[in-house]
Amino acid sequence: MSAAGGIIRFQSRGRSLGRMPMLALCVLLAAACAGCQHVQGQAGEQIAAPAPQPLLMEPRAIDLLKASSARLAAARTMSFTAVVSYEHPSIYGPPLVHTTQSSVTLQRPDKLRVITSGDGPATEFYYNGKTMAAFSPAENLVAVADAPPTIDAMLEAAFRSAAIYYPFADVIVADPWRDIADGLDLAFYIGRSTVVGGTTTDMVAYATHGVFIQVWIGAEDKLPRRARAVYRSDPAQLRHQLDLSDWRIDPPVAADAFTSKRAEAAKRIPFAHPDSKPTQEGQAPKAR
């Protein structure tokens, strides 16, 4: 799976940041204009669009993405807070922002808990290696289904059967680098920031699976602090932002952390896609 899991003041150590970002931006702008036949000059004359330039694959950027992915993959347990902000078009033109906050706890290879609040209804999700349960506390409704034996397979099954997807999925899969590398066609280093996540971060821009992403990675611990993504095919270029905080790597996790007595006692509903037609009580929805 991939997200898209996929942008200030810069600092550097012994290297100018001016040239590299400007070159990278020029490359991106040239690529964006590749489909244009002509552009208008200042005097109105027709001038040919610049020829497409090769996209950057900078080793320093790739090394940082690999290091961050390796740090995440090595964790047997982890917890963090994910704040997701994503834009929706408004009827007046400018986009509106919707925000959710999730408290995430996982234990590899087969346990996950996601408690989500925010601008919409609160939800809770529990996966214990055998079943997955989506619980709506306000309505006291729970959907339960059998689940595959790994987090990766469960995420795929939850998306296919019930359209459940988490923007931080690329952080919790078994091999984050594999998911990035599978469709990677652009990667370059931007510089350092001291204003994101309360620490010093390295900024990397990359594109994979049709999403352009800028990510802030902790300079010391290699943990991601922010990711900002735009879908290349989106004509409105709406932005999606993921902020990650409260990181705990390999903390002790209680044995009952991935179940909920309140969810177990709630009224059962089908674990199905939101577009599924209502069925009579007790009747399972047809396979899609």
Side-chain angles (χ1 to χ4, degrees), residues 77-285:
T77 63
M78 71 170 73
S79 65
F80 57 88
T81 298
V83 176
V84 181
S85 301
Y86 47 96
E87 296 180 339
H88 286 290
S90 72
I91 61 174
Y92 299 103
L96 304 176
V97 176
H98 182 80
T99 305
T100 64
Q101 177 173 295
S102 297
S103 176
V104 183
T105 303
L106 70 85
Q107 179 176 305
R108 302 192 192 279
D110 60 358
K111 292 178 175 60
L112 175 68
R113 181 184 70 197
V114 181
I115 310 298
T116 300
S117 60
D119 296 341
T123 62
E124 299 179 12
F125 185 87
Y126 301 92
Y127 165 62
N128 62 10
K130 296 180 179 179
T131 62
M132 51 186 172
F135 175 48
S136 297
E139 297 81 4
N140 198 34
L141 298 174
V142 64
V144 182
D146 292 336
T150 66
I151 292 173
D152 288 28
M154 180 278 298
L155 291 172
E156 189 73 26
F159 178 72
R160 289 184 176 180
S161 61
I164 294 175
Y165 173 73
Y166 296 111
F168 49 80
D170 284 349
V171 174
I172 63 177
V173 294
D175 188 353
W177 171 245
R178 181 184 63 189
D179 284 9
I180 293 173
D182 180 52
L184 188 67
D185 59 16
L186 170 69
F188 61 90
Y189 181 74
I190 302 171
R192 282 199 162 176
S193 171
T194 58
V195 297
V196 171
T199 187
T200 300
T201 57
D202 285 301
M203 294 176 290
V204 172
Y206 67 99
T208 182
H209 300 286
V211 186
F212 181 85
I213 301 168
Q214 180 175 341
V215 63
W216 285 252
I217 299 170
E220 297 298 327
D221 60 21
K222 305 308 177 188
L223 294 172
R225 295 310 202 283
R226 173 176 292 173
R228 192 171 173 88
V230 176
Y231 287 83
R232 283 171 157 177
S233 61
D234 179 9
Q237 295 292 279
L238 298 175
R239 291 162 291 187
H240 308 255
Q241 182 163 307
L242 169 64
D243 286 291
L244 300 162
S245 60
D246 304 323
W247 279 105
R248 296 183 66 203
I249 300 297
D250 290 321
V253 178
D256 61 352
F258 305 99
T259 59
S260 166
K261 291 184 177 179
R262 185 180 174 191
E264 290 173 355
K267 181 181 178 180
R268 296 287 184 98
I269 59 174
F271 198 99
H273 195 284
D275 294 336
S276 298
K277 295 181 180 180
T279 59
Q280 295 181 358
E281 188 171 353
Q283 178 183 354

Side-chain angles (χ1 to χ4, degrees), residues 27-64:
V27 169
L28 291 175
L29 289 173
C33 293
C36 303
Q37 297 299 317
H38 296 86
V39 295
Q40 291 288 337
Q42 292 183 349
E45 73 276 12
Q46 296 286 330
I47 55 177
Q53 299 296 313
L55 295 177
L56 295 174
M57 293 291 280
E58 196 174 68
R60 184 176 185 181
I62 293 173
D63 288 344
L64 283 166

